[in-house]
Amino acid sequence: MSTPQTIYESLHHQGFSRRDFLKFCGISATIMGLSPSMIPRIAKALENTPKKSVIWLSFQECTGCTESLIRAHAPTIEGLIFDHISLDYHHTLQAASGRAAEQARENAMKEHHGDYLLVVDGSIPMGNPGYSTSAGISSLDMLKEVASGAGAIIAIGTCAAYGGLPHAAPNPTGAVSVEELITNKPLINIPGCPPIPAVIAGVISYIVTFGQLPKRDSLKRPITFFGQNIHDRCYRRSFYDQGLFANSFDDEGAKKGWCLYKLGCKGPVTYNACATTKWNENVSFPIEAGHGCLGCSEPHFWDAGHFYQALSVPTREIVGTAGYALAAGAAVGVASAMLNKKKKVDATKNHETVTIHDLERTSS
Amino acid sequence: MNYVDFLLWVRGPAFQIATAIFIFGLSWRLLEILSLSRKPELAVVRERGIAGGFRTIFRRFLPVDDNTFQRSAFIITAGYIFHLGFFIILLLFVPHILFFREFFGFSWPGLPTPVIGIITIMTLLALIALLINRMRHPVLRFLSGFEDYFVWIVTFLPVLTGYMAFHHFFHYPLMLALHILSVELLMIVFPFTKLMHTFTWFISRWYTGSRAAQKGVQV
Ligand code: SF4
């Protein structure tokens, strides 16, 4: 790829008309969560933007994030994404293998130095480097090398964003997130286990179109998609407010679609777009399917209490703690009771009887 | 530390520490109080005093005469609203019941959340009114020290933060974490302050009542 094509040229090349192109811009706007009034700006940007080179690195992950993206039913999503970018390196999707694959990565890094987009899924083990390698290079070295020339980094999935499953206690591999290792590059997290495909597509489109990262929250997530709480958008919310809860997965309440709080729903502390964007072509999302939210897009979601215990239940065992505290308190209580008793006995023993003569003596 | 770490800390280690201090303090102080030896009654007692003790526990829920009520109508009414409200919120809000179920192994039905919401507002208003009264009434103000205001704050905060969390004011996970933290503060200071009256009022009422029943002659 010697002369970089613009996205418009690439679409034109594929037989897209101007009208198709504007339609494409409209879809991009929807996916990015922007209003239709932005379409002309998007069109203008895409006419002049060269296709972005993307290097996608996979570390300690399950490929679920890639699966999520490529299995998106909406034909527009994957198409859109691949029209926007030039995916130069991706373990699962690339045709090349072995040395040729690494060569492609190195070429892309050299050619687009300082500008390419680095996408990471999976966490990085800080224990033995041999826990996760590719082409004989440890994940840590690979990340550092590729990140050094990247224009921006997208950490896709909860593992790359916050450590995810590999990071769950006792974290045997010493897994860490991308953010913990690379601090000098613009970075955006798209957490979720897996993340919603439309959100991945939306963020990539935004970066490619506007050449900058979208607005992020305190956990570096795009606010457009992670600005709202599942509980605030949940269609079962009115049942929560009325105090109508399912007590098991097959009781009357569950059949009537009541709130799943008692069954461990973590919706109230989870920020994601599931309740509005939904999954599988807008079919449903976990709560609609009858299961509480696991909070998979939040840090430490594996260690944030039992999946099936209510949010108000402490995450540590407290009955045993209370038992020990009771015994210790009782021991101190008995000891101070004995001290009090001794004080009293001593006071009685040392009590001097005052006679009428003593009084006379002192008053004289 | 981000809000998730904070929430996990208050739900985990911090809650464990607060529980340990709370239960330790309760068990220590109650045992100490109960073991204080009382003077033997040298006179012939009128009755054993057990029934008299219980009678006083219940009788003192109501003012003994109209005059007492009229003179302290405000404190009695606001005091009742706040105390009852506090216990209704604590024991009948569903997420709280789920917590107790985890601890005790059994549960009970809760109230619909809008009802809890109204009771919370009444409780907060009663608490604020009582504080203003304490600061404005010359005698009460004279008698109040640091501890009185401190226990007011640690009682008020859990109710306020709970209400704010429930209504998703600001940021829910952060409000929830602050709510749990304020409860932990309450639990930690509880055994070592006047808040202990929650457990000692009936002991002292029973003692007063039973002593009174023992005195005098059988008629
Ligand atoms: S099901 Fe979960 S997210 Fe929905 S209202 Fe109940 S607690 Fe909130």
Side-chain angles (χ1 to χ4, degrees), chain A residues 95-124:
Chain A
S97 63
R99 189 61 218 139
E102 297 311 309
Q103 189 67 51
R105 175 175 63 81
E106 283 157 19
N107 289 348
M109 282 169 61
K110 216 180 299 151
E111 218 172 301
H112 306 284
H113 188 85
D115 183 53
Y116 59 83
L117 196 58
L118 167 60
V119 177
V120 180
D121 65 338
S123 63
I124 302 96

Side-chain angles (χ1 to χ4, degrees), chain A residues 211-293:
Chain A
Q212 61 184 44
L213 297 182
K215 235 175 127 204
R216 292 159 296 158
D217 67 6
S218 64
L219 293 172
K220 296 210 168 80
R221 302 175 291 201
I223 286 182
T224 322
F225 302 103
F226 291 88
Q228 268 170 345
N229 195 274
I230 298 288
H231 185 65
D232 281 342
R233 287 273 159 247
C234 179
Y235 74 105
R236 297 192 190 221
R237 177 64 183 269
S238 62
F239 295 118
Y240 174 90
D241 290 340
Q242 291 167 53
L244 297 174
F245 300 96
N247 285 306
S248 77
F249 286 110
D250 54 2
D251 71 351
E252 221 22 61
K255 285 177 192 145
K256 287 188 177 143
W258 289 354
C259 170
L260 302 165
Y261 185 90
K262 283 188 174 180
L263 297 172
C265 181
K266 304 290 182 288
V269 292
T270 304
Y271 290 79
N272 206 336
C274 303
T276 36
T277 306
K278 301 198 182 175
W279 289 79
N280 301 327
E281 262 190 301
N282 276 336
V283 172
S284 77
F285 70 113
I287 292 172
E288 201 169 342
H291 193 287
C293 166

Side-chain angles (χ1 to χ4, degrees), chain A residues 316-339:
Chain A
R316 287 221 182 156
E317 202 278 323
I318 50 162
V319 180
T321 308
Y324 286 122
L326 192 75
V332 177
V334 169
S336 58
M338 276 165 24
L339 274 180

Side-chain angles (χ1 to χ4, degrees), chain B residues 33 38 41 46-60 64 200-216:
Chain B
I33 291 168
R38 278 157 286 276
E41 180 63 68
R46 183 154 60 107
E47 59 164 75
R48 287 185 62 206
I50 295 175
F54 281 111
R55 221 179 302 128
T56 307
I57 289 184
F58 292 104
R59 193 183 283 155
R60 298 233 172 140
V64 262
T200 52
W201 65 266
F202 64 91
I203 303 179
S204 58
R205 269 193 203 173
W206 188 87
Y207 185 63
T208 316
S210 86
R211 289 303 294 235
Q214 286 173 349
K215 288 188 198 308

